[in-house]
Amino acid sequence: MSIEVQMRTLNPAHSPSMRDHINKLQAMQQDVLAAGKQIASEDMAITLLSHLPDTYGAFYSSLITSGRMTDLTWEELVPMVLDQEDRFRRDSKEKGDSKALAGADNQNQQQKKRKGQGKGSPNQAKKESKEDAGKQQTSKKEITCHGCGKTGHI
């Protein structure tokens, strides 16, 4: 298998952090350069973007909405990804959360959601909508009618 193919199929979940994953990609890029080939900076950026775990969804979306996706280079993207990883680490420490940042634990959460066990389960959504409906009924009882001045109807 060629190094270019290995770069594209490298799994970030096998790295303890995105920093380590980026270092692996850079080492592979150096191997390609040593073999006399060159990989464009934009291609390296696209490879890294395709390797971002689901936890980087908001980051990825912000790149799309900003219009930066078409001309983003490796040199611009790497510091942005590393800043995002540092932000995840700070947030994780503040919350006392020890989840893996490379996305392995995130995959487990997604599997639970698909099975209906996670935060986004259909049963919870029904329960929340019933609670919201109860709140709305309570608030209608407190409204005063403009015509007669009594409460409980409009």
Side-chain angles (χ1 to χ4, degrees):
M1 186 184 307
S2 73
I3 295 173
E4 291 98 340
V5 172
Q6 289 177 5
M7 286 176 69
R8 288 189 201 107
T9 59
L10 185 65
N11 188 347
H14 296 153
S15 299
S17 69
M18 283 306 293
R19 185 175 307 275
D20 289 337
H21 186 71
I22 289 168
N23 289 338
K24 288 178 185 178
L25 287 173
Q26 284 178 321
M28 291 177 153
Q29 181 187 30
Q30 292 302 317
D31 291 343
V32 170
L33 288 172
K37 295 182 181 180
Q38 192 164 350
I39 301 174
S41 179
E42 291 82 6
D43 291 339
M44 287 293 294
I46 290 169
T47 300
L48 179 56
L49 286 171
S50 70
H51 290 187
L52 291 177
D54 292 340
T55 53
Y56 286 75
F59 170 76
Y60 188 82
S61 294
S62 70
L63 288 175
I64 291 172
T65 57
S66 70
R68 296 286 321 266
M69 295 290 285
T70 56
D71 62 350
L72 195 61
T73 65
W74 173 260
E75 295 78 16
E76 294 170 324
L77 180 61
V78 168
M80 293 164 59
V81 170
L82 294 177
D83 285 345
Q84 186 66 40
E85 180 178 43
D86 290 342
R87 192 171 300 121
F88 285 148
R89 287 194 191 283
R90 280 192 307 273
D91 291 348
S92 176
K93 285 180 183 178
E94 288 174 6
K95 294 178 184 177
D97 191 6
S98 62
K99 293 180 182 175
L101 296 175
D105 192 57
N106 190 39
Q107 291 173 350
N108 187 24
Q109 289 176 355
Q110 288 180 346
Q111 288 172 351
K112 283 183 180 179
K113 284 184 180 181
R114 285 186 206 119
K115 292 179 182 177
Q117 299 171 355
K119 291 182 179 179
S121 69
N123 292 338
Q124 184 178 0
K126 288 179 186 176
K127 194 182 291 185
E128 288 174 357
S129 66
K130 286 181 182 178
E131 290 173 3
D132 290 341
K135 289 178 187 175
Q136 289 174 349
Q137 289 175 356
T138 303
S139 63
K140 286 181 182 177
K141 291 179 182 176
E142 297 171 2
I143 297 175
T144 304
C145 177
H146 294 288
C148 68
K150 295 181 182 178
T151 59
H153 66 274
I154 298 178

